Amino acid sequence: MMKYNIEERKERARMLRNDGYNCSQCVVLAFDDLTGIDSGLLARISSGFGSGYGGRGEVCGAVSGATMVSGLSYDLERPALYGKVKGVMSEFERMNGSCICRELKQPGRRPCIDLITDAVEILHRKFEADGR
């Protein structure tokens, strides 16, 4: 069962961002109640995924974080887990037009904190729908 409601979880992600955590870390740490893994370890595991894999502009760190949380939270075989991840990615892409960091950071696009809270909201709603 989830410890935080959606607004509390999004606020946790915002606070983490204000504390200097990258996009991937913000999403992962916002779900530490579901993973059962020490927050310090989660922060280290997710640290290299910020700004699209080590700053390369590849897959958005918020999406990478949501993928990590999915893998840690669902006890599913690969095809079923991939289905969950694809669902999160598709919803994020529908909302933001891409899952690629360098595309999301183009002028006139939404700030990273909005992308972080989008990923948190999408994942939280998926978990709720699954009765978590």
Side-chain angles (χ1 to χ4, degrees):
M1 196 68 163
M2 289 193 282
K3 180 177 176 180
Y4 302 105
N5 69 39
I6 196 165
E7 292 306 320
E8 291 169 329
R9 202 173 294 283
K10 287 168 39 175
E11 184 57 29
R12 288 188 77 218
R14 287 185 200 99
M15 288 173 30
L16 289 160
R17 185 64 173 189
N18 286 339
D19 289 344
Y21 288 93
N22 72 34
C23 29
S24 182
Q25 291 172 310
C26 291
V27 174
V28 171
L29 291 170
F31 288 91
D32 64 352
D33 60 311
L34 294 183
T35 65
I37 297 173
D38 174 73
S39 294
L41 181 57
L42 287 173
R44 286 195 344 258
I45 289 169
S46 57
S47 64
F49 291 85
S51 295
Y53 297 160
R56 295 220 21 188
E58 302 296 336
V59 174
C60 172
V63 174
S64 295
T67 300
M68 283 184 255
V69 171
S70 295
L72 291 167
S73 301
Y74 287 112
D75 185 20
L76 299 171
E77 295 295 320
R78 190 178 302 165
L81 178 61
Y82 285 7
K84 298 288 186 189
V85 170
K86 287 176 188 177
V88 170
M89 291 182 77
S90 293
E91 181 67 15
F92 186 92
E93 191 169 37
R94 185 191 64 73
M95 291 173 75
N96 295 293
S98 180
C99 287
I100 304 301
C101 181
R102 74 176 75 75
E103 294 173 6
L104 294 165
K105 287 186 173 184
Q106 293 295 312
R109 301 297 294 261
R110 298 173 67 221
C112 289
I113 191 59
D114 291 348
L115 303 175
I116 292 165
T117 56
D118 284 352
V120 167
E121 181 169 344
I122 292 164
L123 192 56
H124 185 93
R125 291 191 190 286
K126 298 278 185 196
F127 285 146
E128 279 184 329
D130 291 339
R132 307 218 76 241

